[in-house]
Amino acid sequence: MITAHTMIQSAMRKMQVLGVDRSPTALEAADGLYALNAMLDLWSIERLMVYQIQQTTHSWGSGVATRTIGNGGD
C-alpha cells in the first residue's frame, strides 16, 4: 500500500527536488504533506473525488433526540 510519504518522495523526485539516493528531510516531508492535503481538499471542494451523490429523505419521529447514520445506524 502506498503511503503519503512515498507519494511525496516520488513527486519530489519527479520534480527533481530530490536525488534518487536521497530522502526528504522532516521539514521537506511536512511541506509535502501540507501540499498533498491542500490538493486533496481542493479536489474535495470541486467534487473531483466524489463517485456518486445520493440524496435520501428520512423522517424524524417525535420524541427522538438523536439518530445515527452509516452501517448499523438507525
Side-chain angles (χ1 to χ4, degrees), residues 3-4 8 15 18 21 30 32 37 39 57 65 67:
T3 64
I8 292 164
M15 293 185 302
L18 288 179
D21 59 343
N37 283 327
M39 181 180 68
T57 304
R67 292 279 188 193

Side-chain angles (χ1 to χ4, degrees), residues 5-62:
H5 185 270
T6 305
M7 290 173 57
I8 292 164
Q9 187 173 13
S10 177
M12 292 177 89
R13 285 183 178 153
K14 288 179 182 175
M15 293 185 302
Q16 297 181 349
V17 174
L18 288 179
V20 176
D21 59 343
R22 189 170 160 254
S23 292
T25 64
L27 184 58
E28 290 170 334
D31 287 344
L33 184 59
Y34 178 82
L36 178 60
N37 283 327
M39 181 180 68
L40 292 173
D41 285 343
L42 182 63
W43 286 358
S44 176
I45 290 169
E46 294 180 3
R47 296 186 180 224
L48 295 176
M49 297 180 66
V50 176
Y51 171 72
Q52 178 181 11
I53 298 174
Q54 182 178 8
Q55 295 182 348
T56 59
T57 304
H58 301 278
S59 61
W60 195 277
S62 63

